[in-house]
């Protein structure tokens, strides 16, 4: 399968955006887990999407995700979601053009 019309700028920007969202939700999830969120419903709402952003590596390979591998797994997830976003946008653009 040949990847056509790959947009590297879209891939990088989507990956960075997902990385920022992942880190923000990770910090919120840690605050909720440690009990330092002050029962804030806003922080608890921000922490909920972390379980989506940690998929697939932390869901499938949780037993191996410790130490620095934990953050590499999150980085891989961000790249994975960035790639999916880039492919979906390109497919939708190609569909509109035809």
């Amino acid at each position: 399968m040949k990847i056509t019309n790959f947009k590297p700028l879209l891939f990088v920007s989507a990956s960075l955006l997902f990385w920022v969202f992942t880190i923000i939700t990770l910090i919120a999830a840690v605050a909720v887990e440690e009990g330092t969120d002050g029962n804030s419903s806003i922080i608890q709402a921000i922490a909920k999407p972390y379980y989506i952003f940690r998929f697939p590596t932390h869901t499938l390979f949780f037993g191996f995700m410790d130490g620095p591998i934990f953050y590499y797994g999150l980085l891989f997830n961000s790249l994975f979601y960035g790639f999916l976003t880039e492919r979906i946008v390109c497919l939708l653009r190609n569909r509109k053009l035809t």
Side-chain angles (χ1 to χ4, degrees):
M1 181 174 119
K2 183 178 177 185
I3 296 178
T4 58
N5 299 332
F6 185 78
K7 307 283 189 223
L9 183 61
L10 178 61
F11 169 70
V12 170
S13 59
S15 296
L16 285 175
L17 186 67
F18 279 112
W19 177 248
V20 169
F21 286 156
T22 302
I23 295 301
I24 290 171
T25 58
L26 171 66
I27 292 169
V30 168
V32 169
E33 282 288 318
E34 295 293 324
T36 58
D37 63 337
N39 291 328
S40 171
S41 59
I42 295 172
I43 293 177
Q44 290 176 357
I46 292 172
K48 297 273 186 202
Y50 173 67
Y51 297 103
I52 296 170
F53 289 123
R54 68 182 230 160
F55 180 81
T57 59
H58 290 71
T59 303
L60 300 175
F61 306 111
F62 189 73
F64 303 106
M65 293 296 152
D66 57 350
I69 296 174
F70 182 85
Y71 297 106
Y72 292 135
L74 292 179
L75 179 63
F76 176 81
N77 292 343
S78 299
L79 294 172
F80 173 73
Y81 283 126
F83 180 75
L84 282 180
T85 302
E86 191 277 333
R87 288 287 80 202
I88 289 169
V89 168
C90 282
L91 286 173
L92 292 175
R93 281 185 185 167
N94 288 342
R95 192 175 221 185
K96 273 187 172 181
L97 294 176
T98 58

